[in-house]
Amino acid sequence: MTDSAAVASSRAPGGAELIDGKAMAAAIRGELRETVERLAENGTRPGLAVALVGEDPASAVYVGGKIKACKEIGIRSIEARLPAETTTAQLLALIDEWNADDAVDGILVQLPLPKGIDTQAVVERIAPDKDVDGFGADNLGRLAQGKPRLVACTPWGVMEMLKRWGKPHGWSVAGKRAVVIGRSITVGRPMALLLLGADATVTICHSRTPDLAGAVRQAEIVVAAAGQRHLVKGDWIAEGAVVIDVGIHRGDDGKLTGDVEFGPASARARAISPVPGGVGPMTIAMLMANTVSACQGRRGTGV
Ligand code: NAP
């Protein structure tokens, strides 16, 4: 994947530059479409298998977005919608089938799974070279070793946002003080490892961090992934910091907001990502990128 497509910058209401994840994701999907066309000319079409278990409406929306992106790019999608009563053994059997299917390059089981299913067993059953969510021990371990292969889509999307925004400004992550709020396996932990790999000095904060405000005030890069609406106050943000908001919260009015007080923060930040239109679309774009690179890696095609 190249980062050639420049994305025009616009401003948040407070004055900070907007890090437009929606536009960046569209550019990445365009790059991937070209790669997939080249693969198809050589007789290869990447395939993504997605399992959705149960009736969680938010999960159904996320899966719908992923299938739509596959169609747009030319990736073949295989979808399994399973009832909430599905057992761990049944889900493992489906993963075994997909692991053995050469036309399946990526396997994604939408989380969270219904209570009663052993999530850890399911995540670890996915073949590491098809683990396009990057949640398995093999891929997470490689990232911790500084030799990433398939990286979790949300934190990788954040890194791409920082890279694509920073490049035309002569700005990079290297040497910056970064604060990551959240230490989940899916977002905070891999996020911190990626920032570390890009030579930031990284502080990881969580629910037991005594002075979160003080930590954020020191940061030149803030990645908020706590899952707490408006946890990060505008006046915590250092002048000129770059802020990425991973949180997603749907209000009673149906509107989406993030973990950061967007308006006040954008009066102090140099650049900030919005919710919606920030990390969300980038997460899906990076899933597509992982599927294409899993295909290239597995089938030995470098196009
Ligand atoms: P999670 O598994 O619930 O983890 C949340 C993390 O935040 C935990 O490490 C927790 O600390 C920490 N935390 C919670 N409250 C805190 C507080 N008051 N101060 C400091 N740290 C606090 O959530 P997740 O899956 O990582 O997701 C985080 C957010 O990102 C959610 O809003 C989720 O919807 C969103 N998300 C968005 C995307 C996207 O595509 N845009 C993708 C994934 C997730 P402890 O470890 O101490 O409990």
Side-chain angles (χ1 to χ4, degrees), residues 32 37 64-65 67 87 89 104 108 110 114 125 130 136 158 165 172 180 206 231 237 261 267 278:
L32 290 171
E37 274 165 21
I67 302 291
T87 63
V104 171
L108 181 145
Q110 185 66 42
R125 191 69 153 241
K130 298 189 179 190
V158 172
W165 173 79
S172 80
V180 178
H206 47 79
L231 171 71
I237 302 297
E261 282 189 337

Side-chain angles (χ1 to χ4, degrees), residues 12 137 166 227 230 298:
H230 292 176
R298 288 183 56 253

Side-chain angles (χ1 to χ4, degrees), residues 62 154 181-189 205-209 212 224-228 231 245-249 259 278-284:
Y62 293 143
T154 298
I181 311 172
R183 57 176 165 178
S184 69
I185 295 295
T186 48
V187 188
R189 218 168 276 230
C205 299
H206 47 79
S207 65
R208 305 292 297 273
T209 297
L212 183 62
Q228 304 289 325
L231 171 71
D245 192 348
V246 180
I248 306 178
H249 311 278
D259 282 2
V279 176
M282 286 296 283
T283 296
I284 295 183

Side-chain angles (χ1 to χ4, degrees), residues 5 7 14 26 32 37 41 65 75 86 98 101 125 148 168 263 266 268 282 300:
V7 172
L32 290 171
E37 274 165 21
E41 281 163 16
I75 293 172
T86 302
W98 284 342
D101 185 343
R125 191 69 153 241
S266 70
R268 298 172 64 86
M282 286 296 283

Side-chain angles (χ1 to χ4, degrees), residues 142-154:
R142 285 171 190 265
L143 178 61
Q145 286 177 331
K147 295 172 189 148
R149 182 172 58 180
L150 294 171
V151 176
C153 305
T154 298

Side-chain angles (χ1 to χ4, degrees), residues 216-217 219 222 232-241 243 260 264-265 268-269:
V216 173
R217 286 194 172 104
V222 180
V232 179
K233 308 302 171 209
D235 67 2
W236 294 5
I237 302 297
E239 288 288 345
V243 180
V260 180
R268 298 172 64 86

